[in-house]
Amino acid sequence: MSIAVLKPGMLSTLQDGGRYGFQHLGVPVSGAMDFFSHRIANILADNKTDEATLEITLRGPRLRFERDALIALCGADLSPTIDGVIAPEGKAVRVRAGSVLDFGNSVAGCRAYLAIHGGFDVPVVMGSRSTYDSARIGGLDGRALRQGDVLPLGNEKSSSYPGLARELAISKRSFAAPKWAVNQHIEKLGRSPQIVRILAGRHWDAFPNTARDALTAHEFRIASDSNRMGCRLEGPGVVAGGADVVAGGAGEILSEAVTFGTIQIPPSGKPIVLMADRQTVGGYPKVAEVAAVDLHLLAQLRPGDRLRFELVSLAQAQALWLKREQEIITIREAVEKHLTE
């Protein structure tokens, strides 16, 4: 039981909730960049929310299902089709064996997530199936998909959405989907400039007022060399000179712990936001941290997209996170009502 990779796409990797407990050994957490879309896709596919999904970046793969499968697509709209017909997003979809899932241009967002009921049956390495391709750890042989790969699938339960299976059996179409869909994001993807909320970081007070003001007063653009390790920001609003002031003219500090969303200011003054494949420690001053609730918005910005930072308090960030978690619970409860239909 598997999926054949007919075309790999630009960067398609298996990711789950991340690899925790090994940062003291220098092993990054990795995991899904947009973990909200990743979780919602799993909920729709009747999986545990930490089951591995396929993270698809900008130009997607072409995949052929070797068996009937229950899937869900969430996150960026990368123009998915099944046998040439527009594929539903934000829904559970029953796909016929032999069907081909393909992707076109990016309409909104940067990363789409494909969940399949039963999950991808690849080895668990250090507690995770996430791919960290710089060290060839996890996923499918520790790397992104290649043409000719075969993705092994886990076992599925016949009790999930039995109505979709019956509908597909009597249909001539390649897939069957319900009329309902979930609202994947409260915020629309592709908004430009995107508002990303931040908290003051460990070195916030050490930066001069002009540098702190520049961080929240100006727009930044996602640089073309951004990746899963970090988003590099550029634009007229760089925090020039701030890092040198904080580091006593050296521009760098002794390396210390960093996390998903840490905003570092290197001597160039151009902020770097550390992302899922970030290193475990960093030597640039940390002016701020992206609020966890907005990390998925940053993950969905494409090179050239614009953003603004908005400073919030810790209490505000925690309240926003709790509100989002309640929305996820609401989505799960709504989906569970349809699982036996």
Side-chain angles (χ1 to χ4, degrees), residues 300-328:
Q300 289 291 0
L301 293 178
R302 301 166 293 192
D305 282 348
R306 297 171 296 137
L307 73 151
R308 281 181 179 273
F309 290 123
E310 178 182 306
L311 188 67
V312 297
S313 68
L314 177 60
Q316 288 174 309
Q318 290 172 330
L320 290 165
W321 177 264
L322 290 174
K323 180 173 182 288
R324 180 58 49 82
E325 286 301 300
Q326 184 56 54
E327 291 165 352
I328 296 289

PDB file of all heavy atoms in Angstrom, residues 300-328:
ATOM      1  N   GLN A 300       3.821  30.778   5.892  1.00  0.00           N
ATOM      2  CA  GLN A 300       3.081  30.776   4.630  1.00  0.00           C
ATOM      3  C   GLN A 300       3.450  31.953   3.717  1.00  0.00           C
ATOM      4  O   GLN A 300       2.875  32.094   2.640  1.00  0.00           O
ATOM      5  CB  GLN A 300       1.574  30.793   4.922  1.00  0.00           C
ATOM      6  CG  GLN A 300       1.050  29.482   5.501  1.00  0.00           C
ATOM      7  CD  GLN A 300       1.074  28.328   4.512  1.00  0.00           C
ATOM      8  OE1 GLN A 300       1.493  28.483   3.362  1.00  0.00           O
ATOM      9  NE2 GLN A 300       0.619  27.161   4.941  1.00  0.00           N
ATOM     10  N   LEU A 301       4.387  32.800   4.147  1.00  0.00           N
ATOM     11  CA  LEU A 301       4.807  33.914   3.289  1.00  0.00           C
ATOM     12  C   LEU A 301       5.840  33.430   2.275  1.00  0.00           C
ATOM     13  O   LEU A 301       6.744  32.671   2.605  1.00  0.00           O
ATOM     14  CB  LEU A 301       5.382  35.047   4.142  1.00  0.00           C
ATOM     15  CG  LEU A 301       4.375  35.751   5.057  1.00  0.00           C
ATOM     16  CD1 LEU A 301       5.075  36.826   5.896  1.00  0.00           C
ATOM     17  CD2 LEU A 301       3.239  36.373   4.243  1.00  0.00           C
ATOM     18  N   ARG A 302       5.715  33.918   1.057  1.00  0.00           N
ATOM     19  CA  ARG A 302       6.613  33.535  -0.021  1.00  0.00           C
ATOM     20  C   ARG A 302       7.703  34.591  -0.208  1.00  0.00           C
ATOM     21  O   ARG A 302       7.526  35.742   0.210  1.00  0.00           O
ATOM     22  CB  ARG A 302       5.817  33.378  -1.324  1.00  0.00           C
ATOM     23  CG  ARG A 302       4.712  32.336  -1.245  1.00  0.00           C
ATOM     24  CD  ARG A 302       3.747  32.428  -2.395  1.00  0.00           C
ATOM     25  NE  ARG A 302       2.968  33.674  -2.340  1.00  0.00           N
ATOM     26  CZ  ARG A 302       1.901  33.927  -3.080  1.00  0.00           C
ATOM     27  NH1 ARG A 302       1.487  33.024  -3.954  1.00  0.00           N
ATOM     28  NH2 ARG A 302       1.263  35.057  -2.962  1.00  0.00           N
ATOM     29  N   PRO A 303       8.807  34.249  -0.857  1.00  0.00           N
ATOM     30  CA  PRO A 303       9.819  35.278  -1.142  1.00  0.00           C
ATOM     31  C   PRO A 303       9.183  36.482  -1.844  1.00  0.00           C
ATOM     32  O   PRO A 303       8.428  36.326  -2.802  1.00  0.00           O
ATOM     33  CB  PRO A 303      10.798  34.544  -2.062  1.00  0.00           C
ATOM     34  CG  PRO A 303      10.692  33.118  -1.628  1.00  0.00           C
ATOM     35  CD  PRO A 303       9.236  32.912  -1.290  1.00  0.00           C
ATOM     36  N   GLY A 304       9.490  37.659  -1.337  1.00  0.00           N
ATOM     37  CA  GLY A 304       8.919  38.888  -1.889  1.00  0.00           C
ATOM     38  C   GLY A 304       7.693  39.368  -1.160  1.00  0.00           C
ATOM     39  O   GLY A 304       7.316  40.542  -1.279  1.00  0.00           O
ATOM     40  N   ASP A 305       7.014  38.488  -0.421  1.00  0.00           N
ATOM     41  CA  ASP A 305       5.841  38.907   0.361  1.00  0.00           C
ATOM     42  C   ASP A 305       6.281  39.862   1.465  1.00  0.00           C
ATOM     43  O   ASP A 305       7.402  39.791   1.973  1.00  0.00           O
ATOM     44  CB  ASP A 305       5.147  37.684   0.978  1.00  0.00           C
ATOM     45  CG  ASP A 305       4.292  36.928  -0.022  1.00  0.00           C
ATOM     46  OD1 ASP A 305       4.054  37.469  -1.125  1.00  0.00           O
ATOM     47  OD2 ASP A 305       3.871  35.794   0.284  1.00  0.00           O
ATOM     48  N   ARG A 306       5.363  40.759   1.853  1.00  0.00           N
ATOM     49  CA  ARG A 306       5.689  41.783   2.846  1.00  0.00           C
ATOM     50  C   ARG A 306       5.024  41.467   4.188  1.00  0.00           C
ATOM     51  O   ARG A 306       3.979  40.813   4.238  1.00  0.00           O
ATOM     52  CB  ARG A 306       5.234  43.152   2.348  1.00  0.00           C
ATOM     53  CG  ARG A 306       5.932  43.621   1.063  1.00  0.00           C
ATOM     54  CD  ARG A 306       5.288  44.864   0.509  1.00  0.00           C
ATOM     55  NE  ARG A 306       3.907  44.606   0.111  1.00  0.00           N
ATOM     56  CZ  ARG A 306       2.901  45.440   0.363  1.00  0.00           C
ATOM     57  NH1 ARG A 306       3.111  46.571   1.031  1.00  0.00           N
ATOM     58  NH2 ARG A 306       1.683  45.151  -0.030  1.00  0.00           N
ATOM     59  N   LEU A 307       5.627  41.971   5.237  1.00  0.00           N
ATOM     60  CA  LEU A 307       5.042  41.804   6.575  1.00  0.00           C
ATOM     61  C   LEU A 307       5.398  42.997   7.449  1.00  0.00           C
ATOM     62  O   LEU A 307       6.355  43.733   7.182  1.00  0.00           O
ATOM     63  CB  LEU A 307       5.526  40.514   7.244  1.00  0.00           C
ATOM     64  CG  LEU A 307       6.978  40.492   7.753  1.00  0.00           C
ATOM     65  CD1 LEU A 307       7.091  39.548   8.948  1.00  0.00           C
ATOM     66  CD2 LEU A 307       7.925  40.067   6.657  1.00  0.00           C
ATOM     67  N   ARG A 308       4.603  43.156   8.482  1.00  0.00           N
ATOM     68  CA  ARG A 308       4.869  44.139   9.538  1.00  0.00           C
ATOM     69  C   ARG A 308       4.831  43.426  10.875  1.00  0.00           C
ATOM     70  O   ARG A 308       4.071  42.485  11.062  1.00  0.00           O
ATOM     71  CB  ARG A 308       3.797  45.234   9.549  1.00  0.00           C
ATOM     72  CG  ARG A 308       3.938  46.308   8.492  1.00  0.00           C
ATOM     73  CD  ARG A 308       2.807  47.329   8.660  1.00  0.00           C
ATOM     74  NE  ARG A 308       2.887  48.405   7.685  1.00  0.00           N
ATOM     75  CZ  ARG A 308       3.594  49.508   7.862  1.00  0.00           C
ATOM     76  NH1 ARG A 308       4.267  49.667   8.999  1.00  0.00           N
ATOM     77  NH2 ARG A 308       3.618  50.450   6.946  1.00  0.00           N
ATOM     78  N   PHE A 309       5.656  43.885  11.806  1.00  0.00           N
ATOM     79  CA  PHE A 309       5.632  43.335  13.155  1.00  0.00           C
ATOM     80  C   PHE A 309       4.790  44.234  14.052  1.00  0.00           C
ATOM     81  O   PHE A 309       4.845  45.463  13.947  1.00  0.00           O
ATOM     82  CB  PHE A 309       7.047  43.223  13.727  1.00  0.00           C
ATOM     83  CG  PHE A 309       7.884  42.170  13.071  1.00  0.00           C
ATOM     84  CD1 PHE A 309       9.106  42.501  12.478  1.00  0.00           C
ATOM     85  CD2 PHE A 309       7.474  40.846  13.051  1.00  0.00           C
ATOM     86  CE1 PHE A 309       9.887  41.529  11.876  1.00  0.00           C
ATOM     87  CE2 PHE A 309       8.254  39.865  12.450  1.00  0.00           C
ATOM     88  CZ  PHE A 309       9.461  40.206  11.856  1.00  0.00           C
ATOM     89  N   GLU A 310       4.035  43.607  14.936  1.00  0.00           N
ATOM     90  CA  GLU A 310       3.229  44.337  15.920  1.00  0.00           C
ATOM     91  C   GLU A 310       3.587  43.802  17.304  1.00  0.00           C
ATOM     92  O   GLU A 310       3.464  42.606  17.566  1.00  0.00           O
ATOM     93  CB  GLU A 310       1.737  44.121  15.632  1.00  0.00           C
ATOM     94  CG  GLU A 310       0.808  44.791  16.627  1.00  0.00           C
ATOM     95  CD  GLU A 310      -0.648  44.495  16.299  1.00  0.00           C
ATOM     96  OE1 GLU A 310      -1.055  44.750  15.142  1.00  0.00           O
ATOM     97  OE2 GLU A 310      -1.349  43.973  17.186  1.00  0.00           O
ATOM     98  N   LEU A 311       4.022  44.700  18.188  1.00  0.00           N
ATOM     99  CA  LEU A 311       4.459  44.292  19.525  1.00  0.00           C
ATOM    100  C   LEU A 311       3.249  44.025  20.428  1.00  0.00           C
ATOM    101  O   LEU A 311       2.332  44.849  20.506  1.00  0.00           O
ATOM    102  CB  LEU A 311       5.334  45.391  20.138  1.00  0.00           C
ATOM    103  CG  LEU A 311       6.018  45.045  21.461  1.00  0.00           C
ATOM    104  CD1 LEU A 311       7.063  43.946  21.270  1.00  0.00           C
ATOM    105  CD2 LEU A 311       6.694  46.304  22.049  1.00  0.00           C
ATOM    106  N   VAL A 312       3.242  42.863  21.082  1.00  0.00           N
ATOM    107  CA  VAL A 312       2.181  42.524  22.040  1.00  0.00           C
ATOM    108  C   VAL A 312       2.837  42.078  23.347  1.00  0.00           C
ATOM    109  O   VAL A 312       4.034  41.777  23.397  1.00  0.00           O
ATOM    110  CB  VAL A 312       1.248  41.402  21.516  1.00  0.00           C
ATOM    111  CG1 VAL A 312       0.517  41.854  20.263  1.00  0.00           C
ATOM    112  CG2 VAL A 312       2.031  40.115  21.255  1.00  0.00           C
ATOM    113  N   SER A 313       2.049  42.037  24.397  1.00  0.00           N
ATOM    114  CA  SER A 313       2.558  41.597  25.693  1.00  0.00           C
ATOM    115  C   SER A 313       2.496  40.066  25.781  1.00  0.00           C
ATOM    116  O   SER A 313       1.815  39.405  24.977  1.00  0.00           O
ATOM    117  CB  SER A 313       1.729  42.209  26.821  1.00  0.00           C
ATOM    118  OG  SER A 313       0.413  41.665  26.799  1.00  0.00           O
ATOM    119  N   LEU A 314       3.172  39.507  26.778  1.00  0.00           N
ATOM    120  CA  LEU A 314       3.121  38.058  26.995  1.00  0.00           C
ATOM    121  C   LEU A 314       1.691  37.612  27.279  1.00  0.00           C
ATOM    122  O   LEU A 314       1.240  36.573  26.759  1.00  0.00           O
ATOM    123  CB  LEU A 314       4.037  37.677  28.164  1.00  0.00           C
ATOM    124  CG  LEU A 314       4.035  36.198  28.572  1.00  0.00           C
ATOM    125  CD1 LEU A 314       4.478  35.316  27.418  1.00  0.00           C
ATOM    126  CD2 LEU A 314       4.935  35.971  29.794  1.00  0.00           C
ATOM    127  N   ALA A 315       0.959  38.391  28.087  1.00  0.00           N
ATOM    128  CA  ALA A 315      -0.423  38.021  28.407  1.00  0.00           C
ATOM    129  C   ALA A 315      -1.294  38.004  27.137  1.00  0.00           C
ATOM    130  O   ALA A 315      -2.135  37.112  26.962  1.00  0.00           O
ATOM    131  CB  ALA A 315      -0.998  39.006  29.424  1.00  0.00           C
ATOM    132  N   GLN A 316      -1.079  38.982  26.257  1.00  0.00           N
ATOM    133  CA  GLN A 316      -1.846  39.011  25.002  1.00  0.00           C
ATOM    134  C   GLN A 316      -1.496  37.794  24.137  1.00  0.00           C
ATOM    135  O   GLN A 316      -2.382  37.172  23.546  1.00  0.00           O
ATOM    136  CB  GLN A 316      -1.547  40.303  24.242  1.00  0.00           C
ATOM    137  CG  GLN A 316      -2.156  41.546  24.863  1.00  0.00           C
ATOM    138  CD  GLN A 316      -1.699  42.818  24.151  1.00  0.00           C
ATOM    139  OE1 GLN A 316      -0.508  43.042  23.942  1.00  0.00           O
ATOM    140  NE2 GLN A 316      -2.657  43.648  23.771  1.00  0.00           N
ATOM    141  N   ALA A 317      -0.212  37.474  24.050  1.00  0.00           N
ATOM    142  CA  ALA A 317       0.212  36.323  23.233  1.00  0.00           C
ATOM    143  C   ALA A 317      -0.374  35.031  23.776  1.00  0.00           C
ATOM    144  O   ALA A 317      -0.814  34.163  23.003  1.00  0.00           O
ATOM    145  CB  ALA A 317       1.739  36.250  23.204  1.00  0.00           C
ATOM    146  N   GLN A 318      -0.391  34.887  25.076  1.00  0.00           N
ATOM    147  CA  GLN A 318      -0.958  33.665  25.677  1.00  0.00           C
ATOM    148  C   GLN A 318      -2.460  33.574  25.422  1.00  0.00           C
ATOM    149  O   GLN A 318      -2.985  32.497  25.129  1.00  0.00           O
ATOM    150  CB  GLN A 318      -0.660  33.654  27.173  1.00  0.00           C
ATOM    151  CG  GLN A 318       0.801  33.428  27.499  1.00  0.00           C
ATOM    152  CD  GLN A 318       1.109  33.604  28.979  1.00  0.00           C
ATOM    153  OE1 GLN A 318       0.453  34.371  29.669  1.00  0.00           O
ATOM    154  NE2 GLN A 318       2.123  32.899  29.467  1.00  0.00           N
ATOM    155  N   ALA A 319      -3.152  34.716  25.519  1.00  0.00           N
ATOM    156  CA  ALA A 319      -4.596  34.717  25.270  1.00  0.00           C
ATOM    157  C   ALA A 319      -4.898  34.360  23.815  1.00  0.00           C
ATOM    158  O   ALA A 319      -5.845  33.617  23.523  1.00  0.00           O
ATOM    159  CB  ALA A 319      -5.179  36.094  25.613  1.00  0.00           C
ATOM    160  N   LEU A 320      -4.090  34.876  22.885  1.00  0.00           N
ATOM    161  CA  LEU A 320      -4.277  34.556  21.466  1.00  0.00           C
ATOM    162  C   LEU A 320      -4.051  33.063  21.214  1.00  0.00           C
ATOM    163  O   LEU A 320      -4.773  32.435  20.432  1.00  0.00           O
ATOM    164  CB  LEU A 320      -3.309  35.388  20.614  1.00  0.00           C
ATOM    165  CG  LEU A 320      -3.600  36.885  20.533  1.00  0.00           C
ATOM    166  CD1 LEU A 320      -2.394  37.642  19.978  1.00  0.00           C
ATOM    167  CD2 LEU A 320      -4.836  37.135  19.665  1.00  0.00           C
ATOM    168  N   TRP A 321      -3.054  32.503  21.885  1.00  0.00           N
ATOM    169  CA  TRP A 321      -2.760  31.072  21.713  1.00  0.00           C
ATOM    170  C   TRP A 321      -3.921  30.224  22.241  1.00  0.00           C
ATOM    171  O   TRP A 321      -4.353  29.265  21.583  1.00  0.00           O
ATOM    172  CB  TRP A 321      -1.465  30.711  22.431  1.00  0.00           C
ATOM    173  CG  TRP A 321      -1.152  29.245  22.360  1.00  0.00           C
ATOM    174  CD1 TRP A 321      -1.432  28.284  23.292  1.00  0.00           C
ATOM    175  CD2 TRP A 321      -0.543  28.557  21.265  1.00  0.00           C
ATOM    176  NE1 TRP A 321      -1.026  27.054  22.855  1.00  0.00           N
ATOM    177  CE2 TRP A 321      -0.475  27.182  21.620  1.00  0.00           C
ATOM    178  CE3 TRP A 321      -0.043  28.967  20.033  1.00  0.00           C
ATOM    179  CZ2 TRP A 321       0.069  26.230  20.774  1.00  0.00           C
ATOM    180  CZ3 TRP A 321       0.500  28.004  19.190  1.00  0.00           C
ATOM    181  CH2 TRP A 321       0.564  26.663  19.556  1.00  0.00           C
ATOM    182  N   LEU A 322      -4.423  30.572  23.410  1.00  0.00           N
ATOM    183  CA  LEU A 322      -5.530  29.804  23.981  1.00  0.00           C
ATOM    184  C   LEU A 322      -6.771  29.888  23.089  1.00  0.00           C
ATOM    185  O   LEU A 322      -7.501  28.902  22.920  1.00  0.00           O
ATOM    186  CB  LEU A 322      -5.848  30.327  25.387  1.00  0.00           C
ATOM    187  CG  LEU A 322      -4.775  30.026  26.451  1.00  0.00           C
ATOM    188  CD1 LEU A 322      -5.124  30.707  27.766  1.00  0.00           C
ATOM    189  CD2 LEU A 322      -4.616  28.526  26.653  1.00  0.00           C
ATOM    190  N   LYS A 323      -7.010  31.073  22.517  1.00  0.00           N
ATOM    191  CA  LYS A 323      -8.153  31.247  21.612  1.00  0.00           C
ATOM    192  C   LYS A 323      -7.987  30.343  20.386  1.00  0.00           C
ATOM    193  O   LYS A 323      -8.946  29.685  19.950  1.00  0.00           O
ATOM    194  CB  LYS A 323      -8.257  32.712  21.185  1.00  0.00           C
ATOM    195  CG  LYS A 323      -9.408  33.034  20.240  1.00  0.00           C
ATOM    196  CD  LYS A 323      -9.496  34.543  20.028  1.00  0.00           C
ATOM    197  CE  LYS A 323     -10.679  34.900  19.117  1.00  0.00           C
ATOM    198  NZ  LYS A 323     -10.424  34.513  17.720  1.00  0.00           N
ATOM    199  N   ARG A 324      -6.789  30.278  19.843  1.00  0.00           N
ATOM    200  CA  ARG A 324      -6.549  29.429  18.671  1.00  0.00           C
ATOM    201  C   ARG A 324      -6.714  27.951  19.014  1.00  0.00           C
ATOM    202  O   ARG A 324      -7.278  27.172  18.243  1.00  0.00           O
ATOM    203  CB  ARG A 324      -5.148  29.706  18.113  1.00  0.00           C
ATOM    204  CG  ARG A 324      -4.788  28.869  16.867  1.00  0.00           C
ATOM    205  CD  ARG A 324      -5.765  29.089  15.724  1.00  0.00           C
ATOM    206  NE  ARG A 324      -5.983  30.486  15.468  1.00  0.00           N
ATOM    207  CZ  ARG A 324      -5.161  31.252  14.737  1.00  0.00           C
ATOM    208  NH1 ARG A 324      -4.088  30.737  14.211  1.00  0.00           N
ATOM    209  NH2 ARG A 324      -5.438  32.518  14.539  1.00  0.00           N
ATOM    210  N   GLU A 325      -6.219  27.561  20.187  1.00  0.00           N
ATOM    211  CA  GLU A 325      -6.370  26.159  20.598  1.00  0.00           C
ATOM    212  C   GLU A 325      -7.850  25.794  20.747  1.00  0.00           C
ATOM    213  O   GLU A 325      -8.259  24.676  20.421  1.00  0.00           O
ATOM    214  CB  GLU A 325      -5.615  25.912  21.907  1.00  0.00           C
ATOM    215  CG  GLU A 325      -4.105  25.857  21.741  1.00  0.00           C
ATOM    216  CD  GLU A 325      -3.671  24.754  20.782  1.00  0.00           C
ATOM    217  OE1 GLU A 325      -3.968  23.590  21.043  1.00  0.00           O
ATOM    218  OE2 GLU A 325      -3.040  25.083  19.754  1.00  0.00           O
ATOM    219  N   GLN A 326      -8.653  26.734  21.241  1.00  0.00           N
ATOM    220  CA  GLN A 326     -10.082  26.473  21.353  1.00  0.00           C
ATOM    221  C   GLN A 326     -10.707  26.309  19.970  1.00  0.00           C
ATOM    222  O   GLN A 326     -11.606  25.482  19.771  1.00  0.00           O
ATOM    223  CB  GLN A 326     -10.763  27.613  22.110  1.00  0.00           C
ATOM    224  CG  GLN A 326     -12.245  27.387  22.366  1.00  0.00           C
ATOM    225  CD  GLN A 326     -12.526  26.089  23.112  1.00  0.00           C
ATOM    226  OE1 GLN A 326     -11.971  25.848  24.186  1.00  0.00           O
ATOM    227  NE2 GLN A 326     -13.363  25.231  22.546  1.00  0.00           N
ATOM    228  N   GLU A 327     -10.217  27.084  19.011  1.00  0.00           N
ATOM    229  CA  GLU A 327     -10.717  26.947  17.633  1.00  0.00           C
ATOM    230  C   GLU A 327     -10.376  25.569  17.066  1.00  0.00           C
ATOM    231  O   GLU A 327     -11.196  24.961  16.361  1.00  0.00           O
ATOM    232  CB  GLU A 327     -10.114  28.056  16.757  1.00  0.00           C
ATOM    233  CG  GLU A 327     -10.641  29.442  17.099  1.00  0.00           C
ATOM    234  CD  GLU A 327      -9.801  30.554  16.501  1.00  0.00           C
ATOM    235  OE1 GLU A 327      -8.713  30.262  15.937  1.00  0.00           O
ATOM    236  OE2 GLU A 327     -10.211  31.716  16.633  1.00  0.00           O
ATOM    237  N   ILE A 328      -9.184  25.070  17.387  1.00  0.00           N
ATOM    238  CA  ILE A 328      -8.797  23.731  16.929  1.00  0.00           C
ATOM    239  C   ILE A 328      -9.711  22.678  17.556  1.00  0.00           C
ATOM    240  O   ILE A 328     -10.156  21.728  16.888  1.00  0.00           O
ATOM    241  CB  ILE A 328      -7.332  23.434  17.294  1.00  0.00           C
ATOM    242  CG1 ILE A 328      -6.381  24.399  16.569  1.00  0.00           C
ATOM    243  CG2 ILE A 328      -6.971  21.985  16.963  1.00  0.00           C
ATOM    244  CD1 ILE A 328      -6.238  24.183  15.105  1.00  0.00           C
TER     245      ILE A 328
END
